[in-house]
Amino acid sequence: MNFVFFFKVKTSLVLDKFHIVIMGKIYERRKEQPTPNISMGELILDKLRENGDRVYAIDGPTGKRITYREILEKSVKLANFLQRYGIKIGDRIGIATENQLNWIIAVCASYYLGAIVAPYNPMYTEYEYQHILNVAKPRIVFVSQRTENLFVKMLPKLSWKMELMQLDDQPLTANIRTLKDILNNEPSVDYMRYKATNIGDSSRHPLTILCSSGTTGLPKGVTLSHKNLIAFLIKISTHEYMDTQDGDRILMLLPFYHGYATGTMLLGIYSNCTMIIMPAFEPKLFLNLVQEYKITHLPLVPPILTFLAKHPLVERYDFRSVRELICGAAPVAKDIIAMVKARIGAKCIRNGYGMTELSVVSGLSGRDDDDNSFETPGSGPLLPGFLAKIVDLETQETLEAGQVGEICYMGEQLMLGYWNNPEATKQTIDQDGWLHTGDTGYFDNEGKLHVVDRVKELIKFKGYQVSPSEIETVLLSHRAIKDAAVAAKSDERNGEVPVAFVVKQPDAKITARDVQEFVKQKLSPQKWLYGGVQFVDAIPKNPSGKILRRELRKMISKL
């Protein structure tokens, strides 16, 4: 693993009324409190003990509940089992399930041991898993009935030994242990005195490896430390940001494997909240849960805001309990925001900007900001502890306020790097420790960030990050395709959809439908070619063979 060391910037500080520190041409948010050098395991154990019989999570479809005390007892039992199995500090533990109550038990137990959690999208195909499993090479993967058969099929093809454990009560394969059986056979423990493994420096020890497409290329393993995510929890829970309070209720339909959801689930524990969990979005269930449990916090993605703006059912439900409605992962049109406000009576809808590599979020629009903040996502001050600057795309010179360039960050929420991928890490974090986001934007004179466009190639489909080059790799594996390129096409419902430009092999008779079906066989639904397939004579490239993405965008505008 290639770890990156950060360099301190020496300059004078000027504090203005927004607590933005102007450092020459570098912007910093005042650091309001230090992040303690503890492990996530220690933090979680303290919170679980503190809350006892309070309900931590409720399964939305069934109403089944789990208390903080139950999580504590079960996760400590599982940790003891895993330790006897041979799991030690630094080992990787995967989890590939849909949202469910047992997910948090497996994750907490792994954290206690100093193991590194690698959550996976349960909708991945075998083709996608073949790549992403090889990144972290987990010793154990927790599965559900939805994913078990696929993993059983893949086990003999792996180059390392990996065991499966089932989070659902019944396995589909006879020799796979279930969490239920493990806990039933594990002796009672004094969970009030149990101690997490000492990990040493929390800023250097990895906590999780999250899948991300980075700024380009195939999915990578974003490695976040214990301190990265603890810093996030301390900052985001304050009144200025998500304002999570004792007893709040958060509706969780974000997929747990995503950094946005991982951070929010941990925030629930940190802030003594109750999480209402949805395995998948179902319109009527979503609305019923908001009303029944008097949800206080709604962390959403743009397609759900569009649903709130336009679905006829919404007006029948009571949203008055919602204190914070936050949207992230992709831009949203301001007319959608205005419609949602009018329909549900929300005083404000806040827009977050960030990326997995920055431990979920780096900035959040203010409660008093107008709807224009959604046209330039991320409008608002930086979270405490971040440095940011805007650099010229060609010269890398740091730009003044109001000038548009690439957005760069430094700070304690910056990832350790991409797991076992030093080359990709170098391409994203420069030698001075600045992370280059691949997004363009500017700071205004009040130190607020405005995101304008993306330099990076990623397609944002319903908040998912889709890598064009991953789809291109699949297309080029087809015998009838000579060359291919993929780009984003604007779509009102989904934000953006992938569209493919394909050069056929001479005399090939492949159709657009054939190409779409081929991609469907290889990749999960967010990567399907909803934007269609266009056959062309050549893919626009520069002399060195790099695809000219700007030219593709021009071609799309003519479709």
Side-chain angles (χ1 to χ4, degrees), residues 427-441:
Q427 291 172 9
T428 303
I429 304 176
D430 65 29
Q431 61 183 3
D432 294 324
W434 287 99
L435 182 141
H436 293 247
T437 64
D439 291 330
T440 59

Side-chain angles (χ1 to χ4, degrees), residues 98-134:
E98 58 277 25
N99 293 4
Q100 60 163 283
L101 299 183
N102 285 340
W103 187 91
I104 196 68
I105 295 171
V107 168
C108 287
S110 304
Y111 289 166
Y112 303 156
L113 299 176
I116 305 166
V117 174
Y120 299 120
N121 184 344
M123 295 176 68
Y124 271 175
T125 65
E126 181 178 359
Y127 175 88
E128 291 166 306
Y129 275 125
Q130 284 171 352
H131 165 72
I132 205 63
L133 284 174
N134 270 285

Side-chain angles (χ1 to χ4, degrees), residues 445-556:
N445 289 324
E446 294 178 341
K448 291 184 177 181
L449 174 67
H450 300 265
V451 183
V452 174
D453 200 358
R454 282 202 305 282
V455 179
K456 57 189 179 183
E457 303 167 2
L458 299 180
I459 299 165
K460 285 292 186 85
F461 174 85
K462 290 186 175 180
Y464 289 97
Q465 293 189 115
V466 176
S467 166
S469 58
E470 183 179 12
I471 305 174
E472 288 160 1
T473 300
V474 170
L475 291 172
L476 292 171
S477 70
H478 195 293
R479 292 180 181 179
I481 294 176
K482 181 180 179 181
D483 202 358
V486 174
K489 181 180 179 182
S490 295
D491 183 83
E492 181 181 354
R493 182 176 181 181
N494 302 302
E496 294 176 336
V497 292
V499 56
F501 295 91
V502 172
V503 179
K504 298 180 185 179
Q505 292 283 10
D507 301 322
K509 296 181 180 179
I510 189 171
T511 66
R513 184 178 178 84
D514 293 336
V515 174
Q516 289 175 307
E517 289 301 317
F518 183 71
V519 170
K520 282 185 178 182
Q521 292 170 17
K522 297 284 188 178
L523 299 173
S524 45
Q526 69 269 22
K527 302 169 188 176
W528 293 354
L529 298 173
Y530 299 104
V533 176
Q534 299 294 319
F535 291 107
V536 294
D537 294 331
I539 301 298
K541 296 182 180 181
N542 66 14
S544 65
K546 186 174 181 180
I547 295 171
L548 297 173
R549 303 283 173 186
R550 290 181 183 177
E551 294 301 316
L552 293 181
R553 287 196 285 271
K554 291 178 183 177
M555 293 163 68
I556 289 172

